[in-house]
Amino acid sequence: MRQNPRTGYVDRLMQHIDEPRVEVNVLDAARFSLSAGQLARVSSPRGVMVARVAIGDAQRPGELFVPMHWNRVFARQGKVNALVDTRCDPLSGQPESKQTAVRIMPWRPRWQGELYARELPELPPEVYWWRKASRLTLAGDAPLLAWVMAYASGRGWQLQVAQTGERSSVLAWQHGELMLGYWEGHTLPALAHAFIEEAFAAAPVQLAERHALLHGQRPGKDADPGRIICSCFSVGENTIRKAIAGGCDSAVALGVKLRCGTNCGSCVPELKGLLGECKDVG
C-alpha cells in the first residue's frame, strides 16, 4: 500500500525539514539578535509560536516566512495559524492568511533535548516539543530530567544515567530491550540518530556500544551524517559541512562530490545557506 505524503508519516520526507522554522533576512537577524539554528518566539496580538531560525537573503528585510502545514499533532506551539487574524473576505470566505503583523524575539531555553521511546509519553504542559520521524525534539525552562527518570522508573524499567557538566542522558531497559532514550543539554545535543534507531531494533550487547549509546554517539569513528538536507540522496548536514571544510565552495561542487542538489534541486537554497554560514565562521 502506498502511503499518502500528506499524512506526515513518510519518514524520508520528514527528515528534510522536520520542524517548524522561521526564515529571516540577514539584516533582520542582526537587528533582532537572531542566530541560525536557534529558537525564536514569533507573536502577534492573537497568539504565539516557536520555530527554529533559518537566515538567508530569500526573504525581504522586514518580512518573515513560516510554513503553514504544522499542526498540534507535530508540534506544541508550532502553528503559524495561531498568529493569523480571523478576518475573512465577505464574498469568498477566504481568511486573511497571507500577511500578519508579528514580533520576533530569540528564545534561549534552559535546556534542549531529544527523546526516543517505543511509546512516546504525554509530556508536561510546559515542555515544547516537535515530533520527528522517530523521536521528539524538546525544549523548555523547567527541568525535565527528573520527570523522565520518574516516568521510566514507574514502569519498572532499569535505568542507565550519565550526567557530565552541561549534558545529561538516560537509557531505560526492560528484558534486554531499549525502551526509552533521552539526551539533554544547554544546546540541542548532536546525536548519532541512525545508531540510536538501530539500538531500538536490536539492542547493543557490547559494553563499549552501550556506553557510546548512553552518550548518543556511535562507537568507533563512523561519523553521523546529521540532519538530512538532501532527501533525494540522503545527504546530511554534517556530511555537507565536512565537504565544505574540505574545499567544496559552491552548490555545484557539493553536487559533484555528494550528489546533493542534483536531482529535484529543492535543497539548493539550504546548500547555499550552509556555504554562507561556513564562510562567515571561517
Side-chain angles (χ1 to χ4, degrees):
M1 178 181 295
R2 292 186 62 187
Q3 208 168 22
N4 184 350
R6 291 185 178 274
T7 63
Y9 289 98
V10 181
D11 290 354
R12 188 177 178 188
L13 295 180
M14 290 188 69
Q15 286 177 333
H16 181 39
I17 300 176
D18 55 5
E19 64 185 0
R21 69 179 187 180
V22 53
E23 298 182 14
V24 185
N25 182 273
V26 291
L27 298 177
D28 290 329
R31 178 184 176 190
F32 295 106
S33 302
L34 298 167
S35 301
Q38 79 168 125
L39 294 171
R41 281 193 170 105
V42 184
S43 62
S44 75
R46 184 166 181 249
V48 63
M49 69 169 296
V50 174
R52 203 167 296 277
V53 175
I55 299 174
D57 55 9
Q59 296 304 309
R60 293 181 296 185
E63 294 184 357
L64 306 176
F65 173 75
V66 179
M68 63 174 292
H69 56 274
W70 298 96
N71 58 36
R72 66 174 61 92
V73 175
F74 296 99
R76 174 170 286 167
Q77 286 201 328
K79 298 187 300 180
V80 69
N81 284 347
L83 314 180
V84 178
D85 201 332
T86 56
R87 289 180 297 180
C88 295
D89 180 84
L91 298 178
S92 68
Q94 287 289 328
E96 189 181 38
S97 60
K98 299 300 183 183
Q99 59 179 4
T100 299
V102 298
R103 172 182 295 177
I104 185 169
M105 297 179 62
W107 179 44
R108 298 177 178 86
R110 181 175 176 180
W111 57 268
Q112 297 185 57
E114 303 277 15
L115 174 67
Y116 283 82
R118 292 187 181 275
E119 293 185 9
L120 292 169
E122 183 175 348
L123 295 165
E126 64 271 14
V127 176
Y128 291 78
W129 52 263
W130 299 267
R131 188 169 74 81
K132 308 294 182 63
S134 57
R135 68 189 190 278
L136 294 178
T137 294
L138 313 171
D141 291 318
L144 187 66
L145 180 65
W147 185 93
V148 172
M149 294 174 64
Y151 171 83
S153 297
R155 282 151 181 75
W157 298 341
Q158 182 180 1
L159 299 186
Q160 189 179 354
V161 182
Q163 293 182 275
T164 56
E166 297 182 353
R167 289 283 299 271
S168 301
S169 54
V170 177
L171 299 179
W173 304 87
Q174 184 181 49
H175 306 310
E177 286 192 328
L178 182 61
M179 306 301 293
L180 176 147
Y182 176 65
W183 295 264
E184 173 190 294
H186 290 341
T187 58
L188 188 63
L191 305 177
H193 293 288
F195 178 58
I196 295 169
E197 292 169 1
E198 292 167 7
F200 275 90
V205 295
Q206 299 297 324
L207 183 60
E209 292 179 322
R210 292 204 173 199
H211 181 76
L213 179 63
L214 182 60
H215 294 280
Q217 302 303 316
R218 184 184 292 274
K221 298 182 179 180
D222 292 340
D224 179 59
R227 178 176 66 92
I228 297 298
I229 300 294
C230 175
S231 297
C232 296
F233 298 111
S234 299
V235 184
E237 180 176 349
N238 295 343
T239 304
I240 293 168
R241 289 183 181 274
K242 183 178 180 180
I244 294 171
C248 290
D249 58 359
S250 68
V252 173
L254 289 170
V256 171
K257 185 175 179 64
L258 304 174
R259 301 177 69 194
C260 52
T262 61
N263 190 34
C264 74
S266 64
C267 64
V268 170
E270 286 194 81
L271 298 180
K272 292 180 177 178
L274 289 173
L275 285 161
E277 287 180 30
C278 293
K279 181 179 179 180
D280 292 340
V281 172

